[in-house]
Amino acid sequence: VLERVLSVSGVHSLVHNMWGYVDTTIRWCWIPSWLPSWCPTSQNHLQAAEDMMLRCVESPFLKQYVSISNNNRLWTLNFNRESIAGKTPMVLLHGFGGGVGLWAQNLDALSQDRPVYALDLLGFGQSSRPNFSTDAQEAEQQFVESIEQWREKVGLDSMILLGHNLGGYLAVSYAIKYPRRVKHMVLVEPWGFLERPDTAEEDRPIPVWIKALGAMFTPFNPLAGLRLLGPLGPALVQILRPDFKKKFSSMFVDNTVPEYIYHMNAQSPSGETAFRNMTVPYGWAKRPMSQRMDQLQPHIPITAVYGSRSSVDSNSGAAIRELTPERPVDIITIRGAGHYVYADQPDDFNHRVLRACDKVG
């Protein structure tokens, strides 16, 4: 399809000639040894930014690296008190480009009745950033196996998995492979469930020149521009996503949130590269989860949470219910929330999640 688009637009040769230059330039900016001088970030910057994000969390918690295979480590927040130690723990899996700090408005409430663990997925945040397979299925399994190895090391027999965006996709993938370890799933605006419609291009006309540029930049990671701009990267986050600052306005009045987002995503693009390899144009999953829902054990209940103002289609929740009619599937829509439901309406989100998990011991 891309070849056809490029041929019609008359820019195929231009793209081919420009590719070498652009590829070399962007890849040069990704060389780790150049990061300190070009991008104003480092592991210490990220650690400090996360500490700032978590400074308003009142509940006591531990911060630790959990070692898994191949010398990788997953950064983990552990909320656990003796009085709730016997309850099934809830494990929070963030979405693409996210990290544990984005749960700042949820950690206190969610950890009142049961242990809560929040981890940076492999390749994101403060976790290790290894090379992932370029094969979508293998990359997905690298994520899944890292979660299983983490669970084993932490010593959890079973858990409630709460995943946002990419985290929701990985939660289901994990539950398919390790059903005995999952008692309940809360899928928050999950990515990658529906198949890409065959009529996507016809239904949403896109100018040829935009398609051509999209084709040219397809080989690059989604957030490459953030690193390519170097010292201008932090300002870019504030310009393009001023809403993030607003989402956390009850906790911070400064640039705590955009700085955290910048430092998370200006590091080596490990998980970001894996995500890119798991997608097709326009952000659809190469391996949509709807094709595999029949492999998920029917005894695992699902709660799907969507924001009423989100651009993500809540039809994925209805599709889950339709594909597995024997499974308990509860679909929740939170008014006034967008894609980042847990940050847009944290009190409502926390209340609804706690209520959905009430029946889990």
Side-chain angles (χ1 to χ4, degrees):
V1 174
L2 291 178
E3 290 293 328
R4 177 175 57 82
V5 170
L6 293 173
S7 176
V8 171
S9 66
V11 297
H12 187 279
S13 59
L14 175 63
V15 170
H16 179 77
N17 292 333
M18 290 180 64
W19 165 249
Y21 170 76
V22 177
D23 179 56
T24 301
T25 301
I26 291 185
R27 291 179 188 276
W28 174 81
C29 292
W30 286 348
I31 297 177
S33 62
W34 287 97
L35 270 173
S37 60
W38 180 242
C39 294
T41 191
S42 66
Q43 180 63 30
N44 289 337
H45 280 92
L46 175 54
Q47 174 69 69
E50 182 190 288
D51 288 343
M52 292 294 286
M53 284 291 297
L54 298 173
R55 71 183 186 267
C56 293
V57 176
E58 297 178 355
S59 303
F61 64 96
L62 299 176
K63 298 186 288 186
Q64 65 181 125
Y65 276 109
V66 176
S67 297
I68 57 175
S69 64
N70 299 317
N71 295 318
N72 291 318
R73 303 185 300 171
L74 297 187
W75 181 244
T76 305
L77 307 184
N78 177 351
F79 292 76
N80 201 347
R81 304 187 313 277
E82 187 175 347
S83 60
I84 57 174
K87 299 289 288 292
T88 301
M90 179 181 293
V91 177
L92 310 182
L93 305 178
H94 62 77
F96 172 75
V100 296
L102 294 181
W103 302 111
Q105 298 180 96
N106 317 106
L107 294 168
D108 282 325
L110 297 181
S111 63
Q112 290 308 301
D113 296 326
R114 67 178 69 250
V116 167
Y117 294 83
L119 62 142
D120 283 340
L121 292 170
L122 187 65
F124 292 99
Q126 293 201 69
S127 290
S128 299
R129 294 177 177 246
N131 292 323
F132 280 80
S133 171
T134 57
D135 178 78
Q137 182 173 358
E138 292 178 4
E140 179 185 324
Q141 287 308 306
Q142 283 179 263
F143 279 122
V144 168
E145 290 308 313
S146 70
I147 296 171
E148 169 58 11
Q149 292 169 18
W150 172 89
R151 180 207 60 79
E152 191 173 13
K153 273 295 182 70
V154 174
L156 306 183
D157 181 67
S158 60
M159 52 195 170
I160 298 169
L161 284 180
L162 186 154
H164 173 249
N165 185 266
L166 172 63
Y169 180 89
L170 296 177
V172 176
S173 183
Y174 175 90
I176 288 175
K177 189 165 186 180
Y178 300 102
R180 193 168 67 85
R181 303 301 181 184
V182 182
K183 285 192 175 181
H184 191 105
M185 281 191 291
V186 181
L187 308 179
V188 185
E189 294 268 319
W191 166 84
F193 276 70
L194 300 180
E195 298 183 43
R196 178 184 175 182
D198 293 335
T199 59
E201 292 186 24
E202 289 76 5
D203 291 346
R204 298 181 181 180
I206 300 175
V208 170
W209 68 273
I210 292 182
K211 292 182 180 181
L213 287 177
M216 183 172 72
F217 287 102
T218 292
F220 302 127
N221 284 339
L223 300 175
L226 193 67
R227 293 176 291 275
L228 183 62
L229 289 176
L232 299 178
L236 179 67
V237 174
Q238 296 185 44
I239 292 171
L240 295 182
R241 294 308 303 264
D243 57 310
F244 269 109
K245 189 172 180 178
K246 183 178 179 181
K247 295 177 194 299
F248 291 84
S249 59
S250 65
M251 303 184 84
F252 314 112
V253 295
D254 55 13
N255 291 323
T256 292
V257 180
E259 287 178 4
Y260 176 58
I261 292 172
Y262 171 75
H263 289 299
M264 279 195 299
N265 293 294
Q267 312 292 320
S268 174
S270 168
E272 182 185 335
T273 301
F275 178 77
R276 185 201 71 195
N277 291 331
M278 292 164 63
T279 64
V280 295
Y282 308 109
W284 297 87
K286 283 184 179 178
R287 306 181 68 243
M289 197 57 67
S290 60
Q291 298 177 351
R292 290 176 276 162
M293 288 303 294
D294 60 337
Q295 300 175 33
L296 183 63
Q297 292 296 315
H299 71 271
I300 303 176
I302 293 177
T303 301
V305 183
Y306 297 90
S308 65
R309 300 172 61 184
S310 173
S311 58
V312 173
D313 194 344
S314 61
N315 283 338
S316 59
I320 293 172
R321 178 181 283 168
E322 183 178 329
L323 289 168
T324 56
E326 71 284 3
R327 181 190 317 283
V329 178
D330 187 21
I331 301 175
I332 296 173
T333 301
I334 295 183
R335 295 183 61 182
H339 180 57
Y340 292 85
V341 190
Y342 57 89
D344 290 326
Q345 299 292 338
D347 291 340
D348 195 9
F349 174 83
N350 296 337
H351 173 72
R352 302 290 285 273
V353 168
L354 288 173
R355 194 166 65 181
C357 298
D358 262 348
K359 295 180 182 179
V360 182

